[in-house]
Amino acid sequence: DKKAEESGWTPTSEIALREAADRLRLGGLVAFPTETVYGLGANACSTEAVAGIYQAKGRPSDNPLIVHVASEADLDELVFPYPSLAGRLMERFWPGPLTIVLPVRPGVLSPLVTANLSTVGIRMPDHPAALELIQLAGCPVAAPSANRSGRPSPTVADHVLEDLNGRIDGIVDGGATGVGLESTVVELEGECAIRILRPGGVTAEALRLAFPDAEILYESEESSMSEQPRSPGMKYTHYAPKGELAVVQGQPDAVVAYVNEQARQYKENGVATGVLSFSERVCRYEADLVLDLGGQSRLEEAAQRLYGALRQFDEAGVSRIWAEACVPEGIGGALMNRLVKAAGGRIIDLDK
Ligand code: TXA
Ligand code: MG
């Protein structure tokens, strides 16, 4: 079908998919494409398998994993009855890049999946290969992004191999992922409030439009960095490039002038420099490696390119990187969130 073609996955890989599903069910680690980023899957009911995920990634074990399902019917044995608002979110956004935190029913999922929380994040990915893999495996699939901890999430199969080759039992290659950034993680406060714990593929605007009566709340930066954040993953610096990154915002001409002046100084001292730019200004920067995120009015494309670009800077051994800021609207909200995280919070605001 059309979706399968777009994602580069074709039904000819059916045999490979069956094999991958068998490995998953039997406790192996299999990386697979989703519409957001590649996931590293394991049978979510097997503690041994799930332990393998933490080990392969080098991930801290207090950071819980998202469980992927192929149908809503698979949910009942995993979670306690949930607010009807959760059901309506699923109806509207599943399959899709929305992870919903729900009260976990003890006894079915490995406690390692939830890092001993009383809740579990669940999503149904919008990718034909992912859905078929989960269905064939016949078990809920725990899957964080398929990168080594501290590296950018993988958006093509090669990124997975770069990070995890030799540590996993297989990979389903579905070509490039669609969204390019991870799913939106939400938790509900009763029937009337949706709290965004991690911005992602389902934008705040889309949530507001679909549920005009619900209050949309955001996890504050202080809370996310505290000892007991609502979303444990947010307290980790997700990805820090080998080079030091800063996000620069302000009038376009001022941004170009500032970055070029900085780059000139660093270059004089023999430091390799990089810029992450939108197409509009890509020719104006004088750094050693200038990467193009696409037009600034097409932030969907920038989201698709971001993680690959960050990997390119690492490969090139760039030590100072400046990234243009974007409008934090639509997918731009998630894009800025990831950029600022990669920058360790360094934002240079030239308007101030
Ligand atoms: O798009 C995605 O979500 C990808 C693909 C593979 O599905 N997965 C992904 O997983 O990004 P991971 O493990 O890299 O990120 C999971 C995020 C973390 O920030 C984690 O703290 C949060 O979800 N999370 C998981 N379970 C949670 C829970 N019970 N309560 C709050 N946050 C939770
Ligand atoms: Mg991740």
PDB file of all heavy atoms in Angstrom, residues 34 36-40 57 59 63-66 68 99 101 114 117 119-121 123 143-145 181-183 185 197-198 230-234 238, ligand 1:
ATOM      1  N   THR A  34       9.875   2.920  13.125  1.00  0.00           N
ATOM      2  CA  THR A  34       8.527   3.424  13.421  1.00  0.00           C
ATOM      3  C   THR A  34       8.390   4.736  12.641  1.00  0.00           C
ATOM      4  O   THR A  34       9.328   5.137  11.957  1.00  0.00           O
ATOM      5  CB  THR A  34       8.306   3.711  14.933  1.00  0.00           C
ATOM      6  OG1 THR A  34       8.916   4.953  15.273  1.00  0.00           O
ATOM      7  CG2 THR A  34       8.854   2.589  15.816  1.00  0.00           C
ATOM      8  N   THR A  36       8.413   7.558  13.916  1.00  0.00           N
ATOM      9  CA  THR A  36       9.171   8.625  14.585  1.00  0.00           C
ATOM     10  C   THR A  36      10.672   8.409  14.414  1.00  0.00           C
ATOM     11  O   THR A  36      11.335   9.143  13.684  1.00  0.00           O
ATOM     12  CB  THR A  36       8.824   8.672  16.089  1.00  0.00           C
ATOM     13  OG1 THR A  36       9.116   7.407  16.693  1.00  0.00           O
ATOM     14  CG2 THR A  36       7.371   9.050  16.306  1.00  0.00           C
ATOM     15  N   VAL A  37      11.200   7.398  15.102  1.00  0.00           N
ATOM     16  CA  VAL A  37      12.613   7.023  15.019  1.00  0.00           C
ATOM     17  C   VAL A  37      12.675   5.496  15.096  1.00  0.00           C
ATOM     18  O   VAL A  37      11.658   4.854  15.367  1.00  0.00           O
ATOM     19  CB  VAL A  37      13.438   7.635  16.188  1.00  0.00           C
ATOM     20  CG1 VAL A  37      13.377   9.164  16.158  1.00  0.00           C
ATOM     21  CG2 VAL A  37      12.962   7.114  17.548  1.00  0.00           C
ATOM     22  N   TYR A  38      13.840   4.904  14.869  1.00  0.00           N
ATOM     23  CA  TYR A  38      13.962   3.451  15.032  1.00  0.00           C
ATOM     24  C   TYR A  38      13.904   3.097  16.509  1.00  0.00           C
ATOM     25  O   TYR A  38      14.454   3.807  17.357  1.00  0.00           O
ATOM     26  CB  TYR A  38      15.281   2.950  14.434  1.00  0.00           C
ATOM     27  CG  TYR A  38      15.186   2.664  12.950  1.00  0.00           C
ATOM     28  CD1 TYR A  38      15.144   3.718  12.041  1.00  0.00           C
ATOM     29  CD2 TYR A  38      15.110   1.358  12.470  1.00  0.00           C
ATOM     30  CE1 TYR A  38      15.025   3.463  10.677  1.00  0.00           C
ATOM     31  CE2 TYR A  38      14.993   1.099  11.111  1.00  0.00           C
ATOM     32  CZ  TYR A  38      14.952   2.145  10.220  1.00  0.00           C
ATOM     33  OH  TYR A  38      14.825   1.897   8.880  1.00  0.00           O
ATOM     34  N   GLY A  39      13.220   1.986  16.821  1.00  0.00           N
ATOM     35  CA  GLY A  39      13.132   1.513  18.189  1.00  0.00           C
ATOM     36  C   GLY A  39      13.975   0.260  18.368  1.00  0.00           C
ATOM     37  O   GLY A  39      14.235  -0.469  17.406  1.00  0.00           O
ATOM     38  N   LEU A  40      14.415   0.025  19.613  1.00  0.00           N
ATOM     39  CA  LEU A  40      15.101  -1.223  19.925  1.00  0.00           C
ATOM     40  C   LEU A  40      14.140  -2.074  20.733  1.00  0.00           C
ATOM     41  O   LEU A  40      13.899  -1.807  21.916  1.00  0.00           O
ATOM     42  CB  LEU A  40      16.389  -0.969  20.719  1.00  0.00           C
ATOM     43  CG  LEU A  40      17.133  -2.243  21.145  1.00  0.00           C
ATOM     44  CD1 LEU A  40      17.522  -3.086  19.938  1.00  0.00           C
ATOM     45  CD2 LEU A  40      18.357  -1.901  21.975  1.00  0.00           C
ATOM     46  N   LYS A  57      21.990  -0.536  25.195  1.00  0.00           N
ATOM     47  CA  LYS A  57      21.997   0.920  25.049  1.00  0.00           C
ATOM     48  C   LYS A  57      22.952   1.609  26.021  1.00  0.00           C
ATOM     49  O   LYS A  57      23.323   2.760  25.809  1.00  0.00           O
ATOM     50  CB  LYS A  57      20.585   1.484  25.308  1.00  0.00           C
ATOM     51  CG  LYS A  57      19.629   1.347  24.153  1.00  0.00           C
ATOM     52  CD  LYS A  57      18.308   2.063  24.456  1.00  0.00           C
ATOM     53  CE  LYS A  57      18.447   3.539  24.728  1.00  0.00           C
ATOM     54  NZ  LYS A  57      18.083   4.425  23.620  1.00  0.00           N
ATOM     55  N   ARG A  59      21.842   2.232  29.045  1.00  0.00           N
ATOM     56  CA  ARG A  59      20.831   3.166  29.549  1.00  0.00           C
ATOM     57  C   ARG A  59      20.646   3.010  31.051  1.00  0.00           C
ATOM     58  O   ARG A  59      20.591   1.895  31.554  1.00  0.00           O
ATOM     59  CB  ARG A  59      19.506   2.883  28.831  1.00  0.00           C
ATOM     60  CG  ARG A  59      18.316   3.728  29.268  1.00  0.00           C
ATOM     61  CD  ARG A  59      17.131   3.342  28.396  1.00  0.00           C
ATOM     62  NE  ARG A  59      15.882   3.949  28.774  1.00  0.00           N
ATOM     63  CZ  ARG A  59      15.190   4.760  27.964  1.00  0.00           C
ATOM     64  NH1 ARG A  59      15.647   5.077  26.791  1.00  0.00           N
ATOM     65  NH2 ARG A  59      14.022   5.232  28.351  1.00  0.00           N
ATOM     66  N   ASN A  63      15.133   4.803  33.970  1.00  0.00           N
ATOM     67  CA  ASN A  63      14.466   5.506  32.885  1.00  0.00           C
ATOM     68  C   ASN A  63      13.547   4.524  32.146  1.00  0.00           C
ATOM     69  O   ASN A  63      14.012   3.706  31.371  1.00  0.00           O
ATOM     70  CB  ASN A  63      15.535   6.085  31.935  1.00  0.00           C
ATOM     71  CG  ASN A  63      14.933   7.022  30.909  1.00  0.00           C
ATOM     72  OD1 ASN A  63      13.730   7.292  30.922  1.00  0.00           O
ATOM     73  ND2 ASN A  63      15.764   7.518  30.012  1.00  0.00           N
ATOM     74  N   PRO A  64      12.222   4.595  32.406  1.00  0.00           N
ATOM     75  CA  PRO A  64      11.306   3.560  31.906  1.00  0.00           C
ATOM     76  C   PRO A  64      11.164   3.549  30.383  1.00  0.00           C
ATOM     77  O   PRO A  64      11.453   4.525  29.716  1.00  0.00           O
ATOM     78  CB  PRO A  64       9.972   3.938  32.554  1.00  0.00           C
ATOM     79  CG  PRO A  64      10.074   5.398  32.827  1.00  0.00           C
ATOM     80  CD  PRO A  64      11.515   5.663  33.133  1.00  0.00           C
ATOM     81  N   LEU A  65      10.707   2.408  29.865  1.00  0.00           N
ATOM     82  CA  LEU A  65      10.589   2.215  28.420  1.00  0.00           C
ATOM     83  C   LEU A  65       9.141   2.345  27.957  1.00  0.00           C
ATOM     84  O   LEU A  65       8.215   2.072  28.724  1.00  0.00           O
ATOM     85  CB  LEU A  65      11.091   0.812  28.054  1.00  0.00           C
ATOM     86  CG  LEU A  65      12.478   0.441  28.563  1.00  0.00           C
ATOM     87  CD1 LEU A  65      12.787  -1.008  28.195  1.00  0.00           C
ATOM     88  CD2 LEU A  65      13.520   1.371  27.969  1.00  0.00           C
ATOM     89  N   ILE A  66       8.959   2.718  26.717  1.00  0.00           N
ATOM     90  CA  ILE A  66       7.628   2.785  26.114  1.00  0.00           C
ATOM     91  C   ILE A  66       7.251   1.384  25.613  1.00  0.00           C
ATOM     92  O   ILE A  66       8.086   0.683  25.039  1.00  0.00           O
ATOM     93  CB  ILE A  66       7.620   3.793  24.954  1.00  0.00           C
ATOM     94  CG1 ILE A  66       7.799   5.212  25.492  1.00  0.00           C
ATOM     95  CG2 ILE A  66       6.329   3.680  24.143  1.00  0.00           C
ATOM     96  CD1 ILE A  66       8.003   6.258  24.412  1.00  0.00           C
ATOM     97  N   HIS A  68       4.999  -0.815  23.046  1.00  0.00           N
ATOM     98  CA  HIS A  68       4.329  -0.659  21.759  1.00  0.00           C
ATOM     99  C   HIS A  68       3.328  -1.787  21.551  1.00  0.00           C
ATOM    100  O   HIS A  68       3.657  -2.962  21.762  1.00  0.00           O
ATOM    101  CB  HIS A  68       5.358  -0.664  20.625  1.00  0.00           C
ATOM    102  CG  HIS A  68       6.343   0.479  20.716  1.00  0.00           C
ATOM    103  ND1 HIS A  68       7.262   0.588  21.736  1.00  0.00           N
ATOM    104  CD2 HIS A  68       6.524   1.559  19.917  1.00  0.00           C
ATOM    105  CE1 HIS A  68       7.971   1.697  21.558  1.00  0.00           C
ATOM    106  NE2 HIS A  68       7.549   2.309  20.465  1.00  0.00           N
ATOM    107  N   THR A  99       2.460   8.863  22.893  1.00  0.00           N
ATOM    108  CA  THR A  99       2.608   7.893  23.977  1.00  0.00           C
ATOM    109  C   THR A  99       1.763   8.362  25.146  1.00  0.00           C
ATOM    110  O   THR A  99       1.890   9.507  25.578  1.00  0.00           O
ATOM    111  CB  THR A  99       4.084   7.783  24.401  1.00  0.00           C
ATOM    112  OG1 THR A  99       4.836   7.288  23.293  1.00  0.00           O
ATOM    113  CG2 THR A  99       4.258   6.839  25.590  1.00  0.00           C
ATOM    114  N   VAL A 101       0.629   7.823  29.071  1.00  0.00           N
ATOM    115  CA  VAL A 101       1.026   7.215  30.347  1.00  0.00           C
ATOM    116  C   VAL A 101      -0.233   6.757  31.075  1.00  0.00           C
ATOM    117  O   VAL A 101      -1.128   7.559  31.335  1.00  0.00           O
ATOM    118  CB  VAL A 101       1.844   8.214  31.193  1.00  0.00           C
ATOM    119  CG1 VAL A 101       2.098   7.661  32.596  1.00  0.00           C
ATOM    120  CG2 VAL A 101       3.164   8.541  30.499  1.00  0.00           C
ATOM    121  N   THR A 114       8.854  -0.544  33.477  1.00  0.00           N
ATOM    122  CA  THR A 114       8.293   0.655  34.093  1.00  0.00           C
ATOM    123  C   THR A 114       9.250   1.274  35.102  1.00  0.00           C
ATOM    124  O   THR A 114       8.914   2.275  35.728  1.00  0.00           O
ATOM    125  CB  THR A 114       6.982   0.313  34.824  1.00  0.00           C
ATOM    126  OG1 THR A 114       7.258  -0.730  35.773  1.00  0.00           O
ATOM    127  CG2 THR A 114       5.936  -0.178  33.852  1.00  0.00           C
ATOM    128  N   LEU A 117       7.720   2.188  38.353  1.00  0.00           N
ATOM    129  CA  LEU A 117       6.665   3.194  38.501  1.00  0.00           C
ATOM    130  C   LEU A 117       5.311   2.477  38.510  1.00  0.00           C
ATOM    131  O   LEU A 117       5.213   1.306  38.132  1.00  0.00           O
ATOM    132  CB  LEU A 117       6.692   4.176  37.328  1.00  0.00           C
ATOM    133  CG  LEU A 117       7.918   5.079  37.174  1.00  0.00           C
ATOM    134  CD1 LEU A 117       7.781   5.929  35.906  1.00  0.00           C
ATOM    135  CD2 LEU A 117       8.071   5.971  38.395  1.00  0.00           C
ATOM    136  N   THR A 119       2.971   3.446  36.631  1.00  0.00           N
ATOM    137  CA  THR A 119       2.395   3.756  35.322  1.00  0.00           C
ATOM    138  C   THR A 119       3.275   3.192  34.212  1.00  0.00           C
ATOM    139  O   THR A 119       4.434   2.852  34.435  1.00  0.00           O
ATOM    140  CB  THR A 119       2.310   5.280  35.122  1.00  0.00           C
ATOM    141  OG1 THR A 119       3.605   5.836  35.343  1.00  0.00           O
ATOM    142  CG2 THR A 119       1.299   5.909  36.058  1.00  0.00           C
ATOM    143  N   VAL A 120       2.694   3.114  33.005  1.00  0.00           N
ATOM    144  CA  VAL A 120       3.465   2.682  31.844  1.00  0.00           C
ATOM    145  C   VAL A 120       3.083   3.564  30.649  1.00  0.00           C
ATOM    146  O   VAL A 120       1.924   3.932  30.481  1.00  0.00           O
ATOM    147  CB  VAL A 120       3.215   1.185  31.535  1.00  0.00           C
ATOM    148  CG1 VAL A 120       1.738   0.901  31.264  1.00  0.00           C
ATOM    149  CG2 VAL A 120       4.069   0.727  30.345  1.00  0.00           C
ATOM    150  N   GLY A 121       4.077   3.917  29.855  1.00  0.00           N
ATOM    151  CA  GLY A 121       3.822   4.690  28.631  1.00  0.00           C
ATOM    152  C   GLY A 121       3.556   3.724  27.481  1.00  0.00           C
ATOM    153  O   GLY A 121       4.335   2.809  27.243  1.00  0.00           O
ATOM    154  N   ARG A 123       2.229   3.179  23.318  1.00  0.00           N
ATOM    155  CA  ARG A 123       1.830   3.772  22.044  1.00  0.00           C
ATOM    156  C   ARG A 123       1.658   2.724  20.957  1.00  0.00           C
ATOM    157  O   ARG A 123       2.189   1.609  21.053  1.00  0.00           O
ATOM    158  CB  ARG A 123       2.806   4.879  21.617  1.00  0.00           C
ATOM    159  CG  ARG A 123       4.039   4.447  20.843  1.00  0.00           C
ATOM    160  CD  ARG A 123       4.835   5.718  20.492  1.00  0.00           C
ATOM    161  NE  ARG A 123       5.893   5.479  19.521  1.00  0.00           N
ATOM    162  CZ  ARG A 123       5.770   5.680  18.205  1.00  0.00           C
ATOM    163  NH1 ARG A 123       4.623   6.102  17.694  1.00  0.00           N
ATOM    164  NH2 ARG A 123       6.790   5.451  17.390  1.00  0.00           N
ATOM    165  N   ALA A 143      10.228  -0.708  23.663  1.00  0.00           N
ATOM    166  CA  ALA A 143      11.215  -0.186  22.716  1.00  0.00           C
ATOM    167  C   ALA A 143      11.562   1.263  22.966  1.00  0.00           C
ATOM    168  O   ALA A 143      10.758   2.153  22.736  1.00  0.00           O
ATOM    169  CB  ALA A 143      10.718  -0.356  21.275  1.00  0.00           C
ATOM    170  N   PRO A 144      12.781   1.509  23.439  1.00  0.00           N
ATOM    171  CA  PRO A 144      13.293   2.871  23.449  1.00  0.00           C
ATOM    172  C   PRO A 144      13.887   3.147  22.072  1.00  0.00           C
ATOM    173  O   PRO A 144      13.911   2.247  21.217  1.00  0.00           O
ATOM    174  CB  PRO A 144      14.408   2.802  24.486  1.00  0.00           C
ATOM    175  CG  PRO A 144      14.932   1.410  24.368  1.00  0.00           C
ATOM    176  CD  PRO A 144      13.749   0.538  23.969  1.00  0.00           C
ATOM    177  N   SER A 145      14.342   4.354  21.851  1.00  0.00           N
ATOM    178  CA  SER A 145      15.019   4.646  20.587  1.00  0.00           C
ATOM    179  C   SER A 145      16.271   3.764  20.493  1.00  0.00           C
ATOM    180  O   SER A 145      16.928   3.479  21.494  1.00  0.00           O
ATOM    181  CB  SER A 145      15.381   6.125  20.523  1.00  0.00           C
ATOM    182  OG  SER A 145      16.008   6.538  21.723  1.00  0.00           O
ATOM    183  N   LEU A 181      11.593  12.824  14.901  1.00  0.00           N
ATOM    184  CA  LEU A 181      11.738  13.092  16.336  1.00  0.00           C
ATOM    185  C   LEU A 181      10.829  12.104  17.074  1.00  0.00           C
ATOM    186  O   LEU A 181       9.881  11.580  16.495  1.00  0.00           O
ATOM    187  CB  LEU A 181      11.307  14.517  16.674  1.00  0.00           C
ATOM    188  CG  LEU A 181      12.052  15.651  15.974  1.00  0.00           C
ATOM    189  CD1 LEU A 181      11.435  16.999  16.356  1.00  0.00           C
ATOM    190  CD2 LEU A 181      13.535  15.625  16.314  1.00  0.00           C
ATOM    191  N   GLU A 182      11.104  11.884  18.369  1.00  0.00           N
ATOM    192  CA  GLU A 182      10.355  10.890  19.118  1.00  0.00           C
ATOM    193  C   GLU A 182       8.900  11.329  19.341  1.00  0.00           C
ATOM    194  O   GLU A 182       8.557  12.499  19.162  1.00  0.00           O
ATOM    195  CB  GLU A 182      11.021  10.634  20.474  1.00  0.00           C
ATOM    196  CG  GLU A 182      12.453  10.148  20.398  1.00  0.00           C
ATOM    197  CD  GLU A 182      13.458  11.294  20.232  1.00  0.00           C
ATOM    198  OE1 GLU A 182      13.031  12.447  19.995  1.00  0.00           O
ATOM    199  OE2 GLU A 182      14.672  11.034  20.342  1.00  0.00           O
ATOM    200  N   SER A 183       8.117  10.358  19.805  1.00  0.00           N
ATOM    201  CA  SER A 183       6.694  10.611  20.040  1.00  0.00           C
ATOM    202  C   SER A 183       6.475  11.626  21.159  1.00  0.00           C
ATOM    203  O   SER A 183       7.335  11.838  22.010  1.00  0.00           O
ATOM    204  CB  SER A 183       5.997   9.294  20.416  1.00  0.00           C
ATOM    205  OG  SER A 183       6.507   8.789  21.643  1.00  0.00           O
ATOM    206  N   VAL A 185       4.934  12.467  24.597  1.00  0.00           N
ATOM    207  CA  VAL A 185       4.522  11.682  25.766  1.00  0.00           C
ATOM    208  C   VAL A 185       3.563  12.531  26.594  1.00  0.00           C
ATOM    209  O   VAL A 185       3.891  13.671  26.942  1.00  0.00           O
ATOM    210  CB  VAL A 185       5.733  11.264  26.634  1.00  0.00           C
ATOM    211  CG1 VAL A 185       5.271  10.466  27.859  1.00  0.00           C
ATOM    212  CG2 VAL A 185       6.731  10.447  25.820  1.00  0.00           C
ATOM    213  N   LEU A 197       4.535  15.673  28.651  1.00  0.00           N
ATOM    214  CA  LEU A 197       5.790  15.421  29.363  1.00  0.00           C
ATOM    215  C   LEU A 197       6.981  15.529  28.409  1.00  0.00           C
ATOM    216  O   LEU A 197       8.090  15.862  28.829  1.00  0.00           O
ATOM    217  CB  LEU A 197       5.780  14.018  29.977  1.00  0.00           C
ATOM    218  CG  LEU A 197       4.670  13.747  31.004  1.00  0.00           C
ATOM    219  CD1 LEU A 197       4.754  12.316  31.505  1.00  0.00           C
ATOM    220  CD2 LEU A 197       4.768  14.728  32.171  1.00  0.00           C
ATOM    221  N   ARG A 198       6.746  15.209  27.143  1.00  0.00           N
ATOM    222  CA  ARG A 198       7.787  15.350  26.127  1.00  0.00           C
ATOM    223  C   ARG A 198       7.105  15.782  24.833  1.00  0.00           C
ATOM    224  O   ARG A 198       6.256  15.043  24.334  1.00  0.00           O
ATOM    225  CB  ARG A 198       8.530  14.029  25.920  1.00  0.00           C
ATOM    226  CG  ARG A 198       9.591  14.108  24.807  1.00  0.00           C
ATOM    227  CD  ARG A 198      10.365  12.804  24.639  1.00  0.00           C
ATOM    228  NE  ARG A 198       9.573  11.768  23.974  1.00  0.00           N
ATOM    229  CZ  ARG A 198      10.026  10.543  23.702  1.00  0.00           C
ATOM    230  NH1 ARG A 198      11.254  10.189  24.055  1.00  0.00           N
ATOM    231  NH2 ARG A 198       9.256   9.665  23.090  1.00  0.00           N
ATOM    232  N   ARG A 230       8.267  13.959  36.461  1.00  0.00           N
ATOM    233  CA  ARG A 230       7.124  13.145  36.024  1.00  0.00           C
ATOM    234  C   ARG A 230       7.559  12.188  34.929  1.00  0.00           C
ATOM    235  O   ARG A 230       7.066  11.098  34.797  1.00  0.00           O
ATOM    236  CB  ARG A 230       6.009  14.047  35.515  1.00  0.00           C
ATOM    237  CG  ARG A 230       5.285  14.767  36.625  1.00  0.00           C
ATOM    238  CD  ARG A 230       3.951  15.267  36.090  1.00  0.00           C
ATOM    239  NE  ARG A 230       3.184  15.903  37.140  1.00  0.00           N
ATOM    240  CZ  ARG A 230       3.366  17.148  37.524  1.00  0.00           C
ATOM    241  NH1 ARG A 230       4.282  17.896  36.937  1.00  0.00           N
ATOM    242  NH2 ARG A 230       2.643  17.666  38.481  1.00  0.00           N
ATOM    243  N   SER A 231       8.471  12.647  34.073  1.00  0.00           N
ATOM    244  CA  SER A 231       8.969  11.779  33.010  1.00  0.00           C
ATOM    245  C   SER A 231      10.467  11.595  33.224  1.00  0.00           C
ATOM    246  O   SER A 231      11.257  12.473  32.920  1.00  0.00           O
ATOM    247  CB  SER A 231       8.710  12.402  31.648  1.00  0.00           C
ATOM    248  OG  SER A 231       9.158  11.531  30.646  1.00  0.00           O
ATOM    249  N   PRO A 232      10.839  10.446  33.797  1.00  0.00           N
ATOM    250  CA  PRO A 232      12.228  10.267  34.229  1.00  0.00           C
ATOM    251  C   PRO A 232      13.255  10.540  33.133  1.00  0.00           C
ATOM    252  O   PRO A 232      14.354  11.009  33.411  1.00  0.00           O
ATOM    253  CB  PRO A 232      12.262   8.807  34.652  1.00  0.00           C
ATOM    254  CG  PRO A 232      10.852   8.467  35.003  1.00  0.00           C
ATOM    255  CD  PRO A 232      10.009   9.270  34.062  1.00  0.00           C
ATOM    256  N   GLY A 233      12.890  10.261  31.874  1.00  0.00           N
ATOM    257  CA  GLY A 233      13.860  10.425  30.791  1.00  0.00           C
ATOM    258  C   GLY A 233      14.305  11.857  30.611  1.00  0.00           C
ATOM    259  O   GLY A 233      15.394  12.131  30.110  1.00  0.00           O
ATOM    260  N   MET A 234      13.468  12.812  31.040  1.00  0.00           N
ATOM    261  CA  MET A 234      13.756  14.201  30.753  1.00  0.00           C
ATOM    262  C   MET A 234      14.907  14.750  31.596  1.00  0.00           C
ATOM    263  O   MET A 234      15.457  15.782  31.300  1.00  0.00           O
ATOM    264  CB  MET A 234      12.506  15.063  30.959  1.00  0.00           C
ATOM    265  CG  MET A 234      11.339  14.659  30.075  1.00  0.00           C
ATOM    266  SD  MET A 234      11.754  14.576  28.308  1.00  0.00           S
ATOM    267  CE  MET A 234      11.453  16.275  27.825  1.00  0.00           C
ATOM    268  N   HIS A 238      19.806  14.294  26.909  1.00  0.00           N
ATOM    269  CA  HIS A 238      19.542  13.203  26.000  1.00  0.00           C
ATOM    270  C   HIS A 238      20.694  12.967  25.072  1.00  0.00           C
ATOM    271  O   HIS A 238      21.189  11.905  24.894  1.00  0.00           O
ATOM    272  CB  HIS A 238      18.280  13.489  25.198  1.00  0.00           C
ATOM    273  CG  HIS A 238      17.171  12.648  25.699  1.00  0.00           C
ATOM    274  ND1 HIS A 238      16.045  12.407  25.009  1.00  0.00           N
ATOM    275  CD2 HIS A 238      17.057  11.982  26.843  1.00  0.00           C
ATOM    276  CE1 HIS A 238      15.264  11.625  25.708  1.00  0.00           C
ATOM    277  NE2 HIS A 238      15.855  11.369  26.829  1.00  0.00           N
TER     278      HIS A 238
HETATM  279  O1  TXA B   1       8.957   7.806  19.315  1.00  0.00           O
HETATM  280  C1  TXA B   1       9.229   7.190  20.351  1.00  0.00           C
HETATM  281  O2  TXA B   1       8.620   7.361  21.403  1.00  0.00           O
HETATM  282  C2  TXA B   1      10.381   6.164  20.266  1.00  0.00           C
HETATM  283  C3  TXA B   1       9.942   5.043  19.340  1.00  0.00           C
HETATM  284  C4  TXA B   1      10.939   3.935  19.276  1.00  0.00           C
HETATM  285  O3  TXA B   1       8.671   4.574  19.741  1.00  0.00           O
HETATM  286  N1  TXA B   1      10.709   5.685  21.571  1.00  0.00           N
HETATM  287  C5  TXA B   1      11.335   6.461  22.489  1.00  0.00           C
HETATM  288  O4  TXA B   1      11.619   5.815  23.676  1.00  0.00           O
HETATM  289  O5  TXA B   1      11.634   7.607  22.296  1.00  0.00           O
HETATM  290  P1  TXA B   1      12.646   6.386  24.755  1.00  0.00           P
HETATM  291  O6  TXA B   1      12.824   5.281  25.720  1.00  0.00           O
HETATM  292  O7  TXA B   1      13.855   6.895  24.080  1.00  0.00           O
HETATM  293  O8  TXA B   1      11.861   7.519  25.479  1.00  0.00           O
HETATM  294  C6  TXA B   1      10.815   7.207  26.387  1.00  0.00           C
HETATM  295  C7  TXA B   1      10.364   8.452  27.121  1.00  0.00           C
HETATM  296  C8  TXA B   1      11.349   8.824  28.197  1.00  0.00           C
HETATM  297  O9  TXA B   1      11.457  10.239  28.261  1.00  0.00           O
HETATM  298  C9  TXA B   1      10.678   8.252  29.444  1.00  0.00           C
HETATM  299  O10 TXA B   1      11.072   8.913  30.619  1.00  0.00           O
HETATM  300  C10 TXA B   1       9.201   8.453  29.135  1.00  0.00           C
HETATM  301  O11 TXA B   1       9.107   8.196  27.754  1.00  0.00           O
HETATM  302  N2  TXA B   1       8.369   7.499  29.876  1.00  0.00           N
HETATM  303  C11 TXA B   1       8.294   6.170  29.699  1.00  0.00           C
HETATM  304  N3  TXA B   1       7.455   5.614  30.603  1.00  0.00           N
HETATM  305  C12 TXA B   1       6.990   6.631  31.361  1.00  0.00           C
HETATM  306  C13 TXA B   1       6.096   6.704  32.483  1.00  0.00           C
HETATM  307  N4  TXA B   1       5.510   5.633  33.010  1.00  0.00           N
HETATM  308  N5  TXA B   1       5.852   7.923  33.020  1.00  0.00           N
HETATM  309  C14 TXA B   1       6.437   9.016  32.502  1.00  0.00           C
HETATM  310  N6  TXA B   1       7.288   9.012  31.457  1.00  0.00           N
HETATM  311  C15 TXA B   1       7.571   7.834  30.900  1.00  0.00           C
END
